[in-house]
Amino acid sequence: MDENAIHQWLIECFGPIQGEVAWTQISQLPEEVRTQLMSQDSSKLPKPQEVQALMQAFSAGGLNTVGDMQRTVAEGPINVKLATSIALQQANDDSSQRTVAAQDGQAVRSAMSEANLWLDTACSFDPAPGEPQVLTRAGWVEGTVDAWAKFAAPVAQSMSEALSAVLSERLGGALDGEIAGVFAGPVPLPLPEGMKDPVKLIKLLGNTSYAMQLGHAAGDLSHEVRGSFDQGVALLKNPAGALIAQNAVEYAKELDIEQGEVLAFLALQEVAHARLFADVAWLMPRFEALIGKYARGVDIDLDAVEEQLRDADTMNPESIAGAVNLTKVGIPDTPEQKEAMAGLENLLALVEGWVDCVTWKAGMAHIPHIEQLREMLRRERAVGGPAERTFESLIGMQLRPKRMREAAALWESIGGTEGAEARDAKWGHPDLLPKLQGDDAAIAAANATDVTSTGAAPAAGGKAIESSAKEPTIDWDAELSKLLGEESGDGAGDNSGGDNSGDSDASGNSGDDKPTV
């Protein structure tokens, strides 16, 4: 690396004054360290704009002073301010509109207003209180990031405890004493007094790394989601829901279908969800309880965490990111998690199936291509959309409405035989919900510790539940996933794709000098 190149890069990143200070620090490093730094490829340095954006995010995240850092560690496992700042940077990138265009806003509002009128004839639930919103990508981030942080907090707490346990119990004297600095790219940054305790430092880095993951996930989602209920759960505080105007309009332009039809279909999906969640008071608390049960059951492989942290001389923020990544350090699902997952998948399928049913009934007379739009949405859900990827990376959960078609057919059958009012009345209590074929067997199998080769598993009352082999059914969404090449072992939910056995490197750092993290 040319010295002039690194000198200029520092100035572009940190400005003329701080850049010269950083260059002076490098100039005062021992010769062997300088040689190592200068041997790096300058083309791999981050762009100055990226460095500046990260510094702005850290400043907005309350990481300006030692006191700020200590408060961040004490306040909880996720720095929500930092996550929000990073997500907003992505949501407000060059491709994003900072305000809703007048024409787009009017089209979306008109579609949502009409959708509510159409739904009056298709379901017995009243419109959700309030007015549906028309949001920018940044508005969606600001309205939903707190909900994401709430869902992810139990896992982040487990990660923080695992990091502390590895340092205090597993690494022994490898990190005794104090940490001198953090190796951040080409520049060793000295740590201020008060943050040199290894346990405090690792907690701060873990807190920060998880917040950065959450922020990037929410920022990516802001470019993809079209409505506030795309995740299948209520995330906004506004019960009436919202459409992200830019994303909805761009989605409509991608299809060979008239824009008004596409917006009408998306609006029907959104306001149908809003009516259901607003009228069924127990529904969102039930989702939160099941997600919390799954997240609290996440078990961390301390051997895998130790592998990420052992070599303190070369430890950097990327190492900490690996140590809080469930795809690397999570242990496969426990029986309790499998039970929670079975409950989540069934409840999500019933919600999405009901919405699909009433959307079709309300829109069939108004949207000529509703069948095509309906099928496209089903396929998107089958192969995994933004919601599934986010839950998977943050909580280790593969959350997919795998039985949406079956649930929609069930709701349509009930509505056809008993009427819309009787159909919707089944949401009055969880015990009144219709059963998808094999529900009990799936939950019993999740609880079972030893399932026989015939497929029978002991139920809660002690009876064996018969395998459904006599009446086989085809999960068309699962088959579609296979055709599209999806690997069932990918993702953090099962961790079958990686070896987390945790064979530790016995050559831990035991040098006398203060290590650079």
Side-chain angles (χ1 to χ4, degrees):
M1 182 188 303
D2 180 72
E3 289 191 1
N4 292 330
I6 184 63
H7 190 184
Q8 183 61 32
W9 180 81
L10 290 170
I11 291 175
E12 291 177 359
C13 287
F14 306 113
I17 297 176
Q18 293 299 324
E20 290 293 345
V21 171
W23 175 246
T24 301
Q25 290 177 342
I26 289 181
S27 302
Q28 295 173 351
L29 290 173
E31 182 62 30
E32 60 272 16
V33 177
R34 282 172 49 83
T35 300
Q36 179 185 2
L37 290 176
M38 294 304 170
S39 66
Q40 299 184 53
D41 185 356
S42 61
S43 66
K44 295 182 179 180
L45 291 174
K47 295 179 180 179
Q49 299 91 325
E50 294 175 350
V51 175
Q52 293 163 6
L54 187 59
M55 292 174 64
Q56 291 172 3
F58 272 61
S59 178
L63 296 175
N64 298 300
T65 67
V66 175
D68 292 337
M69 297 177 187
Q70 292 173 335
R71 279 193 298 272
T72 295
V73 172
E75 286 175 355
I78 303 176
N79 185 338
V80 180
K81 288 182 179 179
L82 176 59
T84 303
S85 178
I86 291 174
L88 286 175
Q89 285 183 353
Q90 291 181 239
N92 284 323
D93 67 8
D94 293 339
S95 69
S96 300
Q97 299 173 357
R98 300 301 180 93
T99 59
V100 177
Q103 184 177 355
D104 293 345
Q106 180 57 38
V108 171
R109 290 187 185 91
S110 176
M112 296 184 80
S113 177
E114 287 185 337
N116 258 322
L117 292 175
W118 298 345
L119 276 175
D120 286 339
T121 65
C123 75
S124 61
F125 295 145
D126 293 329
E131 290 293 327
Q133 292 177 273
V134 182
L135 297 176
T136 60
R137 292 169 176 171
W140 179 87
V141 165
E142 292 170 335
T144 61
V145 71
D146 285 339
W148 288 119
K150 179 180 179 180
F151 293 148
V155 177
Q157 184 62 44
S158 296
M159 291 294 187
S160 178
E161 292 171 357
L163 291 169
S164 299
V166 167
L167 277 176
S168 59
E169 300 173 13
R170 307 292 293 274
L171 292 183
L175 288 176
D176 280 349
E178 293 183 340
I179 303 296
V182 177
F183 181 69
V187 185
L189 302 177
L191 288 172
E193 295 298 329
M195 286 307 297
K196 294 185 177 182
D197 176 14
V199 173
K200 285 185 179 179
L201 177 61
I202 295 300
K203 279 191 173 182
L204 174 64
L205 291 175
N207 173 303
T208 301
S209 179
Y210 207 94
M212 292 173 70
Q213 289 189 51
L214 175 60
H216 284 299
D220 288 341
L221 275 170
S222 72
H223 289 255
E224 300 180 17
V225 293
R226 301 180 286 267
S228 71
F229 289 96
D230 279 18
Q231 290 71 35
V233 294
L235 296 174
L236 285 179
K237 294 180 179 179
N238 179 12
L243 286 182
I244 297 84
Q246 180 179 358
N247 295 353
V249 170
E250 288 181 357
Y251 177 68
K253 290 177 179 178
E254 292 173 1
L255 305 177
D256 190 20
I257 299 176
E258 197 270 323
Q259 178 176 303
E261 288 190 51
V262 179
L263 293 181
F265 178 77
L266 296 177
L268 273 173
Q269 287 278 321
E270 185 70 8
V271 296
H273 276 101
R275 289 192 182 206
L276 179 62
F277 278 86
D279 202 271
V280 182
W282 58 264
L283 186 55
M284 193 57 199
R286 181 82 162 203
F287 269 118
E288 291 173 349
L290 288 169
I291 293 172
K293 180 178 180 179
Y294 185 94
R296 286 189 297 272
V298 168
D299 203 0
I300 310 301
D301 186 341
L302 295 184
D303 290 332
V305 174
E306 183 176 342
E307 286 187 8
Q308 298 289 327
L309 301 178
R310 175 169 289 279
D311 193 354
D313 283 333
T314 59
M315 192 183 297
N316 53 44
E318 287 73 22
S319 300
I320 307 302
V324 299
N325 187 331
L326 284 179
T327 63
K328 296 182 179 180
V329 302
I331 292 178
D333 293 348
T334 63
E336 291 77 14
Q337 286 181 296
K338 291 178 181 178
E339 181 183 6
M341 178 59 74
L344 275 167
E345 288 179 344
N346 287 335
L347 186 57
L348 185 63
L350 288 171
V351 167
E352 295 302 305
W354 182 88
V355 169
D356 182 76
C357 171
V358 300
T359 294
W360 179 81
K361 187 174 179 62
M364 62 180 179
H366 308 280
I367 306 175
H369 293 91
I370 193 169
E371 290 293 349
Q372 291 93 320
L373 292 165
R374 189 185 190 195
E375 183 62 22
M376 279 190 288
L377 181 63
R378 286 175 168 180
R379 294 189 180 193
E380 284 180 6
R381 298 295 177 87
V383 300
E388 292 77 16
R389 291 195 297 275
T390 300
F391 273 100
E392 191 172 332
S393 63
L394 294 176
I395 310 178
M397 178 185 297
Q398 287 187 339
L399 187 61
R400 301 191 180 181
K402 297 178 179 178
R403 308 171 74 184
M404 178 178 172
R405 295 175 189 271
E406 180 185 344
L410 180 59
W411 286 119
E412 288 171 3
S413 175
I414 295 172
T417 57
E418 302 179 32
E421 188 171 347
R423 177 200 64 202
D424 298 346
K426 296 186 183 298
W427 288 102
H429 190 276
D431 292 344
L432 298 177
L433 288 177
K435 295 285 187 181
L436 297 173
Q437 185 176 2
D439 272 3
D440 292 336
I443 294 175
N447 290 329
T449 56
D450 181 22
V451 180
T452 67
S453 59
T454 61
K463 292 183 179 181
I465 296 178
E466 294 295 331
S467 167
S468 59
K470 294 180 181 179
E471 297 181 20
T473 59
I474 299 175
D475 186 340
W476 292 108
D477 289 333
E479 294 302 315
L480 176 62
S481 297
K482 293 178 183 178
L483 288 173
L484 293 177
E486 181 172 276
E487 297 276 337
S488 62
D490 288 347
D494 55 18
N495 287 310
S496 60
D499 181 5
N500 284 336
S501 59
D503 295 333
S504 299
D505 179 3
S507 59
N509 175 27
S510 59
D512 295 332
D513 296 335
K514 291 181 182 180
T516 294
V517 181

